[in-house]
Amino acid sequence: KAGVTQTPRYLIKTRGQQVTLSCSPISGHRSVSWYQQTPGQGLQFLFEYFSETQRNKGNFPGRFSGRQFSNSRSEMNVSTLELGDSALYLCASSLLFRDISTGELFFGEGSRLTVL
Amino acid sequence: TQLLEQSPQFLSIQEGENLTVYCNSSSVFSSLQWYRQEPGEGPVLLVTVVTGGEVKKLKRLTFQFGDARKDSSLHITAAQPGDTGLYLCAGSYNTDKLIFGTGTRLQVFP
């Protein structure tokens, strides 16, 4: 079955712009979580959505937001981009919300954002 | 903020050598996972451990969860170039979110 699909794979933006990233989970998975990966900070949790509701949020400023649609697809948005937002943004899906801690997270290949 | 410290940060070895990667925290995990991430790809789950003292084997990889559930180790026997990648531990302190470790980047040379 198809894996987690993230688009776009690569993008370049300038400071002050905004960006929207998309994630299509594995068919049947209802939970989508987002992570930011940078060489200095590693993988940091952004937020998790289940059944169109944000269930958990990491320690990121309000410029980072997301949403989930009725078909479980998710988007995240970063407004007023800063240089430090340059990172690989990973989306992961899992079958159920409570599955996140003991079940498997299936990751996409990520969207690599470069802010100039 | 909970922190998962992994050591070593980088490891470069020859094919056939053994190695151990460590994951430590000051807090107790409810469960812990190990992932491997290859360049250009997302992390892929290797194992989940839940019980203190638990040992799981996956071919040449042996995973151990500390008795107090605050630490874990990954041991690779006779490493191969295909084992090259970023190894990440990830712990859950409650049922809600997964915190990832700082990562160990392994390079195995033929």
Side-chain angles (χ1 to χ4, degrees):
Chain A
K1 65 184 175 185
V4 178
T5 304
Q6 291 188 246
T7 57
R9 289 291 313 279
Y10 303 92
L11 66 166
I12 300 173
K13 294 284 187 178
T14 56
R15 279 183 301 175
Q17 287 188 310
Q18 67 93 27
V19 66
T20 299
L21 308 178
S22 178
C23 172
S24 293
I26 290 172
S27 178
H29 284 195
R30 296 171 62 190
S31 175
V32 173
S33 52
W34 289 89
Y35 289 83
Q36 181 195 65
Q37 187 174 32
T38 59
Q41 299 296 319
L43 258 168
Q44 292 192 292
F45 174 77
L46 280 157
F47 25 66
E48 187 204 6
Y49 288 87
F50 181 80
S51 293
E52 302 177 65
T53 302
Q54 186 180 92
R55 300 288 177 157
N56 241 311
K57 191 176 190 304
N59 298 322
F60 279 81
R63 300 185 296 106
F64 291 80
S65 63
R67 58 178 176 169
Q68 186 180 33
F69 302 95
S70 58
N71 61 359
S72 294
R73 190 177 71 84
S74 177
E75 288 182 348
M76 68 163 281
N77 184 277
V78 188
S79 62
T80 320
L81 284 166
E82 300 176 0
L83 296 179
D85 297 333
S86 294
L88 180 67
Y89 290 88
L90 289 162
C91 163
S93 76
S94 58
L95 200 57
L96 298 170
F97 166 60
R98 290 296 172 183
D99 222 25
I100 193 173
S101 63
T102 56
E104 181 171 1
L105 288 181
F106 293 84
F107 282 87
E109 293 177 319
S111 293
R112 185 165 294 282
L113 169 65
T114 301
V115 182
L116 302 176
Chain B
T1 305
Q2 298 98 345
L3 284 176
L4 290 184
E5 296 288 337
Q6 284 185 240
S7 61
Q9 193 176 356
F10 299 97
L11 198 50
S12 183
I13 61 173
Q14 292 293 129
E15 181 177 1
E17 291 185 30
N18 301 333
L19 66 115
T20 302
V21 176
Y22 299 93
C23 174
N24 295 287
S25 172
S26 57
S27 301
V28 176
F29 303 119
S30 56
S31 67
L32 188 135
Q33 298 178 325
W34 283 93
Y35 288 80
R36 179 171 67 209
Q37 183 178 19
E38 299 185 23
E41 299 181 9
V44 175
L45 180 68
L46 297 173
V47 76
T48 300
V49 286
V50 179
T51 306
E54 185 175 1
V55 177
K56 282 192 174 179
K57 292 192 175 185
L58 184 66
K59 296 183 181 178
R60 294 175 296 98
L61 278 60
T62 301
F63 305 87
Q64 186 159 7
F65 201 12
D67 291 340
R69 305 209 317 270
K70 290 186 177 181
D71 57 271
S72 180
S73 64
L74 157 60
H75 182 80
I76 301 180
T77 304
Q80 299 177 1
D83 296 327
T84 293
L86 178 67
Y87 287 81
L88 296 158
C89 63
S92 174
Y93 298 92
N94 51 44
T95 56
D96 290 327
K97 57 185 176 184
L98 212 53
I99 307 298
F100 279 82
T102 48
T104 294
R105 193 166 295 280
L106 171 66
Q107 177 78 53
V108 182
F109 292 97

